[in-house]
């Protein structure tokens, strides 16, 4: 179902955009021909394995690798000594990929081995002796903030305070966003509710573990094959860490089995390169699932206080929130995004969100789909739900009443452009789901969510081939179907069938720099660049036609895949198709190509409303999701199937996060569930079909109106599900995950 | 590492007796291969019993049943007569993992793996199943609950392996059921499992009962107290409440990542109640 609000400015007819064309990577993926990170091998290749700290926090007194070095088949061993000076901006990454003075979390890399086989490498790891002095540790965010908490980094002095403290602590930074006077606003309210919420750390749960092959030649030139969301980032980071010229490292991105933000940084890649540098042989590394969970980048756990005031008519008079996120052993949790995004759906006079970035003895968090936003939304949308319930108001009507709209001042500062939140709420209100009957122990919840979306540095190359087909090279790994969408946009612009364009992810030597695939930016930014590259090529195609016809170029127009004379004055010439011109390219001036290098601006923000029905078993605390509908603004759905896939994927990951996923640490600071048996992502039988409604409020910042859709879909689910379960269980849930033991506890049954 | 695929029980016993180092019998391999891949065990020899034709069959043993140690859970599910006789045991086997896992996993393997959370074990113990053990000195039989000593440990001696599982005759007015609790709907490990088998008299009164609790102790717990709560009753609400209380009291779980003590005790009671209702209704249907 598509809802298309009347927005004349952007209305246009498309031939290909908006169609569900076949998936270009589909056959490769179902036949096993697609090459993922672990599918690459090279002649003379070694296997690399990492030795990891079993301690949450320990001083590394000595590492003795002598025995391991002597083992037959071992070619190289690296420790932090092999990572020399680097730019300040890379210091934390350098320490995260290989511990230096201290191991900062269970699973922190302390050494790595390259050997002729995995079993030799495994044996070698056992021969490395590390002398640890175990230190007190802290893994909980609230505990880490206490004045008497073990200090993880004695050079960390809280930023963002009026006065920088003299004592180090685990609090890295304070952020504040908002406007108006919240205290005044609370006085105007008829009801004020204040609650504290907690969420646990979750992992993106991508099916493909991190994998790479690094090959550093004796001539100082290297190549890497990497499963990543950004091979340009891998190149620049690895080059920076190991003192290699950027031009001497060429990185190719493999097919990718999921990333969701978790592959926007490096873990084993610089280690593989360091091993290769030392061994003078290619080195392959593949993380096990246990390593992925212990030592890649999960999301933050959080603890959040929210206070919101509402009038009897549903007007929100003020909102105040304090968000505390632990982002692992290094500063940089996503708390500022959480604090910026949490109140964004509402046009509020008085609003404040304070964020605290906290470090703890856990793996350094990485991006996870709308990083930081789901937890903030969970807390705010829960309190709004409770206010609606107490004041006997309809939760959709209240949200419509307070919703941000075109031009309203966002809680985090700027004024919104054209936005589609109200359209998603209207669509939700008019959907049959909203009126469907519920049974015993069943409940319904709704929640809204917001994400910024991003543009960023992008470079695209479009080559017109001799047979009239087109090769389109982009530099943003395809994690959600972007090759189809970008190729279709180029085909649309050129006026040729979609299957005449083949879009590939080119290596780092073939294109200008591209930011990583993140921020829901790829269909927007690489798509925009592809459109501009197509226009660039069209200009050149017209020049060639002009040359063939012997008329000035401004007398040629491009229409429906053909060069035509602009008017009868230009002479009578049969239109020339792209293929006609391509066939003569050699004779008319050589290859024809279009390019575009931009720092894409104008990424339109995106909003969603989710609606979910659940059933709670009051005896066991088990929650079943019965029905789920996503309403989200896509701007323009270039390929609706992929857009729906993003909506469904976000909802499903949200269901996992809300119900069962959590990092469980024991008292000694070790992760207890580093595997998919006890780290419970939903399986198919846990889920209903996720229904989707694509709302299209075109983004004026994109030639076709595209908004990113990849991240917003994970923002509302935590809240929507919690509101639904609270409705079913008749008790307000304030803690995630809503696993059976936690639900039973909330019900007072245990 | 050496791999053997003997064609007879005799040959298998011989191999198990002579192989050097750490030897593992392999049935479906759904535990063993996963453990090897994870680096948790490194056997020196593997004796695969799937080529032994006799072990791939389900046969009648007198009025009871003999399920070969290489019969997969999926094959059990396809045996209509077995399923009709002991639905609880078959359902337990068909809870293991997923469709793919059930294509290989065996109940003998489930038993010999000796996990406290093994699904088919409480179901088997409830109906009084026996393991038929082949060894250098011939065969012997033990009650399934006696085969497991503790997590990962069995009472099998060198050269011994389980050849088959025997289920008794299904008498009139008997019914069995197995239920487990998992946070998800499949591909999960039991937080608690309860197997119940009961026999009613002509008037619907419970004459005999066996209640087996899984995942709430190092080995399966056969609770006489829980059985007593049912015997002599019509398995009415009061009896079910008493059963639930007894199971919660008898369960000896630990606090771990899969649930707290209180949670597991509570769930043991809830599941026992639900399983007893199914077993009772099955017994009535079978009168
Ligand atoms: C994805 C997945 C999901 C799973 N889900 C469940 C579940 O829901 N419930 C559950 O209970 N289990 C589950 N398991 C575990 C496993 O599948 C079961 O325990 C299964 O029944 C084991 O049977 P198998 O034939 O594959 O055993 P194998 O792996 O072949 O053997 C297991 C152990 O028993 C020994 N052994 C096997 N057969 C014999 C014999 N005849 N005599 C002596 N020793 C023997 C082996 O040496 C080994 O130590 C799951 C496993 C996986 C991989």
């Amino acid at each position: 179902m598509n809802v298309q609000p009347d927005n004349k400015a952007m209305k246009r007819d498309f031939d290909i955009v908006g169609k569900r064309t076949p998936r270009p990577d589909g056959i490769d993926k179902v036949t096993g021909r697609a090459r993922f990170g672990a599918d690459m091998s090279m002649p003379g290749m070694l296997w690399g394995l990492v030795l990891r700290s079993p301690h949450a926090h320990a001083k590394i007194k000595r590492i003795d690798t002598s025995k391991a070095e002597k083992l037959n088949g071992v070619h190289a061993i690296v420790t932090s000594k092999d990572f020399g000076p680097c730019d300040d901006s890379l210091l934390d990454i350098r320490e995260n990929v290989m511990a230096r003075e201290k191991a900062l979390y269970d699973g922190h890399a302390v050494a790595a081995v390259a050997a002729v086989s995995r079993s030799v490498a495994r044996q070698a790891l056992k021969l490395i002796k590390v002398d640890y002095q175990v230190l007190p540790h802290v893994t909980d965010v609230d505990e880490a903030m206490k004045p008497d908490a073990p200090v993880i980094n004695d050079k960390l002095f809280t930023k963002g305070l009026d006065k920088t403290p003299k004592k180090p602590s685990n609090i890295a930074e304070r952020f504040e966003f908002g406007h108006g006077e919240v205290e005044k606003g609370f006085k105007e309210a008829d009801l004020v509710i204040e609650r504290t919420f907690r969420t646990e750390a979750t992992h993106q749960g991508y099916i493909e573990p991190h994998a790479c092959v690094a090959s550093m030649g004796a001539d100082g030139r290297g190549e890497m094959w990497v499963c990543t969301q950004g091979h340009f980032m891998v190149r620049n980071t690895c080059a920076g860490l190991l003192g290699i010229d950027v031009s001497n490292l060429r990185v190719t991105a493999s097919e990718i089995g999921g990333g969701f933000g978790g592959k926007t940084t490096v873990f084993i890649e610089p280690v593989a390169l360091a091993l290769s540098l030392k061994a003078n042989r290619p080195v392959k590394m593949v993380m096990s699932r246990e390593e992925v969970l212990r030592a890649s980048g999960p999301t933050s756990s959080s603890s959040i206080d929210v206070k919101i005031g509402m009038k009897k008519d549903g007007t929100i008079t003020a909102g105040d929130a304090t968000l505390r996120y632990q982002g692992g052993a290094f500063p940089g949790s996503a708390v500022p995004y959480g604090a910026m995004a949490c109140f964004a759906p509402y046009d509020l006079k008085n609003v404040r969100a304070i964020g605290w970035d906290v470090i703890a003895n856990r793996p350094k968090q990485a991006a996870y789909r709308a990083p930081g936003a789901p937890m903030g939304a969970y807390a705010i949308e829960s309190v709004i739900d409770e206010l609606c319930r107490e004041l006997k108001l309809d939760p959709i009507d209240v949200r419509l009443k307070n919703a941000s709209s075109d031009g309203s001042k966002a809680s985090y500062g700027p004024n919104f452009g054209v936005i589609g939140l109200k359209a998603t709420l209207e669509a939700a209100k008019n959907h049959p789901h909203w009126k469907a009957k519920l049974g015993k122990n069943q409940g319904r919840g709704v929640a809204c969510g917001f994400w910024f979306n991003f543009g960023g540095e992008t470079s695209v190359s479009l080559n017109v081939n001799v047979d009239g087909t087109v090769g389109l090279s982009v530099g943003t790994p395809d994690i959600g179907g972007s090759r189809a969408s970008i190729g279709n946009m180029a085909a649309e612009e050129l006026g040729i069938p979609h299957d005449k364009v083949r879009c590939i992810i080119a290596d780092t030597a073939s294109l200008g720099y591209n930011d990583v695939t993140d921020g829901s930016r790829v269909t927007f930014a690489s798509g925009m660049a592809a459109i501009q590259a197509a226009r660039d090529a069209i200009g050149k195609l017209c020049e060639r036609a002009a040359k063939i016809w012997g008329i000035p170029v401004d007398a040629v127009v491009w229409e429906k895949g053909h060069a035509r004379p602009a008017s009868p004055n230009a002479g009578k010439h049969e239109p020339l198709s792209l293929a006609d011109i391509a066939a003569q390219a050699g004779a008319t001036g050589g290859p024809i190509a279009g390019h575009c290098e931009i720092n894409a601006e104008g990424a339109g923000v995106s909003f969603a409303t989710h609606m979910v029905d659940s059933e709670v078993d009051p005896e066991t605390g088990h929650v079943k999701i019965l029905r789920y509908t996503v309403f989200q603004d896509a701007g323009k759905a270039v390929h609706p199937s992929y857009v729906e896939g993003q909506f469904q994927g976000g909802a499903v990951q949200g269901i996992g996060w809300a119900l069962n996923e959590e990092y469980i640490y024991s008292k000694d600071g070790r992760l207890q569930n580093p595997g998919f048996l006890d780290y419970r992502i939903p399986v198919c039988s846990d889920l209903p079909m996720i229904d989707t409604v694509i709302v299209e409020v075109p983004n004026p910042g994109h030639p076709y109106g595209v908004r990113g859709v990849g991240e917003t879909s994970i923002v509302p689910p935590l809240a929507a599900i919690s509101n639904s379960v609270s409705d079913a269980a008749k008790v307000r849930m304030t803690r995630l995950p809503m696993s059976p033991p936690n639900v039973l506890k909330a019900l007072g049954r245990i | 590492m050496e791999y053997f695929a003997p064609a007879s029980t005799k040959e298998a016993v011989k191999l198990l007796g002579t192989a050097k180092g750490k030897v593992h019998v392999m049935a479906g391999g759904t535990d063993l291969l996963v453990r090897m891949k994870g680096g948790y065990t490194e056997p020196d020899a593997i004796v695969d019993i799937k080529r032994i034709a006799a072990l791939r069959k389900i046969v009648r043993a007198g009025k009871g049943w003999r399920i070969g140690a290489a019969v997969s859970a999926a094959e059990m599910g396809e045996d209509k007569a077995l399923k009709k006789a002991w639905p609880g045991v078959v359902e337990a086997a068909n809870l293991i993992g997923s469709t793919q896992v059930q294509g290989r996993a065996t109940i003998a393997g489930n038993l010999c793996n000796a996990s406290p959370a093994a699904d088919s074990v409480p179901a088997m113990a409830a109906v009084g199943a026996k393991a038929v053990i082949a060894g250098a000195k011939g065969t012997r039989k033990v009650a399934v609950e006696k085969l497991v000593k503790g997590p990962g440990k069995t009472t099998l001696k060198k050269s011994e392996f389980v050849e088959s599982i025997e289920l008794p005759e299904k008498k009139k007015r008997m019914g069995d059921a197995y239920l487990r609790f998992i946070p998800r709907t499949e591909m999960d490990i039991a937080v608690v499992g309860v197997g119940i088998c009961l026999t009613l008299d002509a008037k619907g009164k419970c004459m005999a009962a066996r209640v087996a609790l899984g995942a709430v102790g190092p080995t399966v717990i056969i609770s006489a107290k829980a059985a007593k709560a049912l015997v002599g009753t019509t398995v009415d609400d009061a009896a079910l409440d008493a059963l639930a209380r007894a199971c919660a009291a008898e369960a000896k779980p630990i606090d771990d990542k899969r649930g707290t003590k209180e949670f597991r005790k509570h769930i043991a009671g809830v599941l026992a109640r639900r399983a007893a209702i199914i077993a009772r209704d099955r017994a009535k249907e079978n009168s």
Side-chain angles (χ1 to χ4, degrees):
Chain A
M1 179 171 150
N2 276 33
V3 180
Q4 281 175 304
D6 195 21
N7 188 333
K8 298 222 170 52
M10 291 297 300
K11 250 202 173 145
R12 62 168 278 189
D13 290 326
F14 292 100
D15 290 323
I16 300 167
V17 164
K19 301 244 157 60
R20 298 171 191 263
T21 55
R23 184 174 180 139
D25 54 335
I27 296 203
D28 274 1
K29 284 188 175 154
V30 297
T31 57
R33 186 166 163 268
R35 286 187 309 160
F36 291 89
D39 291 328
M40 173 63 89
S41 291
M42 286 188 188
M45 189 182 81
L46 305 171
W47 285 90
L49 284 181
V50 174
L51 184 69
R52 300 186 177 278
S53 166
H55 305 294
H57 194 194
K59 201 168 162 192
I60 299 171
K61 288 162 66 184
R62 208 169 84 93
I63 303 178
D64 180 0
T65 58
S66 56
K67 271 205 183 127
E69 273 158 31
K70 284 188 203 118
L71 184 70
N72 217 349
V74 171
H75 282 250
I77 296 179
V78 296
T79 63
S80 62
K81 289 202 196 93
D82 297 277
F83 294 87
C86 67
D87 188 79
D88 281 358
S89 64
L90 294 176
L91 286 174
D92 284 353
I93 294 180
R94 187 183 68 169
E95 188 165 4
N96 193 39
V97 301
M98 197 56 75
R100 301 183 84 81
E101 287 83 24
K102 293 203 293 183
L104 297 170
Y105 53 91
D106 168 37
H108 198 170
V110 294
V113 173
V116 290
S117 70
R118 256 203 272 214
S119 60
V120 172
R122 210 176 286 149
Q123 264 177 289
L125 290 189
K126 289 184 193 155
L127 296 174
I128 299 176
K129 278 238 161 65
V130 185
D131 210 351
Y132 292 107
Q133 181 194 337
V134 178
L135 302 169
H137 69 274
V138 60
T139 54
D140 178 86
V141 61
D142 291 325
E143 293 296 321
M145 289 180 80
K146 287 185 177 160
D148 58 348
V151 172
I152 297 167
N153 179 350
D154 60 15
K155 293 181 193 71
L156 191 71
F157 301 91
T158 313
K159 288 190 210 160
L161 300 178
D162 292 339
K163 250 175 55 203
T164 304
K166 293 211 172 63
K167 263 180 60 186
S169 74
N170 298 323
I171 305 170
E173 193 163 352
R174 180 187 184 277
F175 300 89
E176 184 173 332
F177 305 94
H179 53 251
E181 288 171 58
V182 290
E183 289 314 325
K184 198 175 129 246
F186 288 129
K187 284 196 193 110
E188 292 163 15
D190 292 313
L191 181 63
V192 176
I193 290 183
E194 202 173 350
R195 289 263 187 201
T196 297
F197 299 87
R198 278 189 65 98
T199 70
E200 294 304 329
T202 56
H203 195 273
Q204 300 83 352
Y206 32 80
I207 293 305
E208 187 190 11
H210 300 264
C212 67
V213 182
S215 175
M216 200 65 203
D219 58 359
R221 299 213 166 115
E223 293 194 355
M224 294 178 83
W225 167 265
V226 185
C227 165
T228 178
Q229 287 176 244
H231 43 315
F232 290 87
M233 169 279 297
V234 171
R235 177 194 63 181
N236 291 8
T237 311
C238 289
L241 287 175
L242 291 162
I244 302 165
D245 284 351
V246 165
S247 63
N248 277 341
L249 196 55
R250 176 170 162 224
V251 183
T252 306
S254 73
E255 199 65 59
I256 182 168
F260 311 106
K263 292 174 183 166
T264 56
T265 182
V266 294
F267 301 104
I268 49 173
E269 298 80 1
V271 179
L273 193 62
L275 285 167
S276 176
L277 198 61
K278 212 162 173 178
N280 216 354
R281 298 261 290 264
V283 174
K284 177 166 174 169
M285 295 184 84
V286 180
M287 272 189 170
S288 66
R289 180 65 57 191
E290 180 180 331
E291 289 181 288
V292 170
L293 288 164
R294 282 171 77 201
S296 66
T299 187
S300 298
S301 58
S302 75
S303 151
I304 303 173
D305 306 325
V306 176
K307 186 174 173 186
I308 299 176
M310 197 179 273
K311 284 194 183 155
K312 278 188 188 133
D313 69 354
T315 307
I316 300 174
T317 59
D320 195 5
T322 303
L323 301 86
R324 300 168 290 269
Y325 288 16
Q326 90 35 56
F330 301 88
S333 80
V335 76
Y337 299 127
M340 287 160 86
C342 63
F343 284 112
Y346 304 106
D347 185 0
L348 304 178
K349 282 213 184 70
N350 306 297
V351 58
R352 179 173 66 178
I354 294 165
W356 294 95
D357 179 20
V358 182
I359 67 169
N361 292 112
R362 296 192 186 211
K364 178 172 164 52
Q365 68 97 46
Y368 179 10
R369 227 174 175 157
M375 308 81 129
Y378 161 58
I380 272 70
E381 296 288 312
S382 291
V383 173
I384 291 179
D385 190 71
E386 195 175 354
L387 284 161
C388 293
R389 212 161 277 272
E390 294 289 318
L391 294 171
K392 306 214 167 8
L393 296 167
D394 179 284
I396 295 186
D397 288 341
V398 166
R399 285 176 170 86
L400 273 168
K401 190 179 187 85
N402 295 285
S404 295
S405 54
D406 298 0
S408 58
K409 186 171 169 61
S411 58
Y412 60 92
N415 288 71
F416 285 123
V418 179
I419 58 172
L421 173 60
K422 283 191 171 166
T424 69
L425 282 161
E426 298 284 3
K429 196 175 162 170
N430 295 321
H431 195 276
H433 185 170
W434 187 230
K435 278 150 211 120
K437 281 227 151 49
L438 289 168
K440 202 178 158 208
N441 295 323
Q442 297 180 351
R444 178 168 299 146
V446 290
C448 294
F450 156 87
W451 188 245
F452 307 88
N453 293 337
F454 179 55
E457 291 186 61
T458 310
S459 164
V460 158
S461 200
L462 183 151
N463 295 305
V464 178
N465 300 321
V466 64
D467 60 354
T469 61
V470 167
L472 179 60
S473 298
V474 302
T476 41
D478 176 358
I479 62 172
S482 55
R483 274 169 297 191
S485 301
I486 297 165
N488 287 2
M489 283 188 267
E492 180 81 45
E493 199 65 28
L494 292 167
I496 60 175
H498 72 89
D499 56 3
K500 296 286 178 203
V501 178
R502 181 168 184 217
C503 182
I504 63 132
I505 313 303
D507 66 56
T508 55
S510 309
L511 286 174
Y513 175 79
N514 278 273
D515 279 330
V516 299
T517 292
D518 73 352
S520 300
R521 77 179 206 88
V522 171
T523 304
F524 169 76
S526 286
M528 183 145 87
I531 291 167
Q532 291 185 16
R535 288 178 183 169
D536 184 28
I538 287 168
K540 291 170 188 167
L541 288 159
C542 288
E543 277 171 24
R544 301 300 173 89
K547 205 165 175 185
I548 293 166
W549 290 331
I551 63 173
V553 65
D554 51 14
V556 180
V557 291
W558 189 261
E559 265 174 30
K560 297 204 177 302
H562 291 75
R564 298 170 200 271
S567 68
N569 309 348
K572 254 199 148 193
H573 301 286
E574 275 300 301
L576 287 167
S577 71
L578 181 139
D580 295 336
I581 302 169
Q584 301 179 53
T588 58
I592 302 168
H595 297 275
C596 176
E597 288 78 34
I598 47 171
N599 194 345
E601 306 256 356
V605 302
S606 163
F607 288 93
T609 300
H610 287 202
M611 189 180 294
V612 50
D613 297 353
S614 66
E615 182 172 320
V616 175
D617 181 336
E619 288 184 335
T620 64
H622 193 277
V623 174
K624 185 171 181 200
I625 303 297
L626 303 169
R627 185 170 182 179
Y628 202 116
T629 313
V630 176
F631 308 86
Q632 187 177 322
D633 176 17
K636 174 72 202 169
V638 176
H639 194 300
S641 303
Y642 281 115
V643 170
E644 288 160 2
Q646 291 297 319
F647 290 6
Q648 293 168 323
V652 168
Q653 287 187 313
I655 290 171
W657 194 337
L659 296 187
N660 279 305
E661 291 180 39
E662 63 177 315
Y663 266 51
I664 304 171
Y665 281 93
S666 57
K667 283 209 180 83
D668 62 7
R670 287 182 184 153
L671 183 62
Q672 294 300 293
N673 55 339
F676 277 156
L677 179 56
D678 286 300
Y679 181 85
R680 292 185 169 78
I681 63 175
V683 296
C684 289
S685 52
D686 294 336
L687 303 166
M689 182 63 189
I690 309 291
D691 289 329
T692 55
V693 175
I694 301 174
V695 174
E696 295 187 315
V697 179
N699 166 23
H702 185 278
Y704 294 172
V706 169
R707 295 175 195 269
V709 298
E711 292 169 289
T712 305
S713 56
I714 205 174
V715 183
L718 310 186
I721 297 163
S722 181
N723 291 342
S724 173
V725 171
S726 301
D727 186 30
K730 314 266 176 301
V731 38
R732 176 56 48 183
M733 306 300 298
T734 57
R735 176 175 174 192
L736 298 187
M738 292 178 285
S739 59
N742 285 345
V743 171
L744 268 196
K745 211 174 277 165
L747 284 168
R749 301 290 288 250
I750 52 169
Chain B
M1 192 191 74
E2 281 189 292
Y3 170 84
F4 302 101
S8 69
T9 296
K10 211 170 136 193
E11 216 186 309
V13 168
K14 202 166 151 204
L15 283 165
L16 289 170
T18 53
K20 295 231 157 52
K22 201 163 163 191
V23 195
H24 267 287
V25 171
M26 181 165 85
T30 60
D31 275 313
L32 184 62
L33 297 180
V34 175
R35 288 172 54 76
M36 283 166 63
K37 236 182 159 178
Y40 301 106
T41 182
E42 290 175 20
D44 299 295
I46 285 181
V47 179
D48 186 342
I49 57 170
K50 286 195 292 294
R51 304 277 172 82
I52 306 175
L55 304 194
R56 303 219 43 173
K57 291 192 188 122
I58 302 173
V59 294
R60 296 306 297 256
K63 291 189 171 164
W65 303 79
R66 186 178 300 139
I67 301 162
V71 171
S72 72
E75 286 165 329
M76 288 174 64
E78 280 166 13
D79 190 315
K80 291 203 178 81
L82 177 68
K83 204 169 167 181
K84 189 158 182 281
W86 295 116
V89 175
V90 176
E91 281 166 9
N94 287 308
L95 278 178
I96 294 175
S98 60
T99 303
Q100 292 92 326
V101 173
Q102 285 154 27
R104 298 190 70 88
T106 65
I107 52 169
N110 196 223
L111 174 65
C112 295
N113 190 56
S115 155
D119 276 310
S120 70
V121 176
M124 289 195 278
V127 305
K130 292 195 167 70
V132 181
I133 300 165
K137 291 184 195 139
T139 59
R140 64 183 176 105
K141 290 184 193 176
V142 303
V144 292
E145 63 271 21
K146 296 263 159 65
L147 190 105
V148 180
K149 251 196 303 200
K153 291 204 179 74
T154 67
T155 55
L156 291 172
K157 299 192 197 76
K158 175 118 182 144
S159 94
E160 281 189 337
F161 80 104
V162 174
E163 198 183 13
S164 61
I165 300 288
E166 278 190 7
L167 304 184
E169 177 193 357
K170 166 74 167 285
K171 300 223 177 80
K172 258 201 174 340
R173 293 188 297 275
M174 275 181 111
D176 77 325
Y178 174 76
L179 290 177
R180 69 168 180 185
F181 184 78
I182 54 172
R184 284 187 293 208
T185 47
E186 60 178 348
M187 291 297 282
D188 215 326
I189 183 163
V191 176
V192 180
V194 181
I196 294 189
C197 179
L198 46 82
T199 311
L200 304 178
D201 68 13
K203 287 188 186 136
K205 223 179 218 173
C206 180
M207 289 158 50
R210 262 170 82 84
V211 179
L213 305 175
V216 288
T219 61
V220 67
I221 295 172
I222 312 287
S223 169
K225 277 192 192 138
K228 229 168 118 188
L230 297 175
V231 174
T233 75
T234 54
V235 193
D236 54 4
D237 268 347
L240 291 168
D241 286 345
L243 169 74
R245 279 195 303 276
C247 287
E250 292 270 280
K252 302 274 174 309
I254 50 165
D255 275 328
D256 72 0
K257 61 201 168 195
R258 292 179 189 142
T260 56
K261 272 187 213 159
E262 313 85 74
F263 176 69
R264 284 181 146 147
K265 279 172 161 288
H266 172 83
I267 296 291
V270 172
L271 286 194
R273 199 173 207 288
R274 293 179 181 182
I277 292 171
I278 299 171
R280 179 195 68 193
D281 294 349
R282 281 179 176 161
K284 281 185 181 159
E285 272 168 32
N286 186 32
S287 57

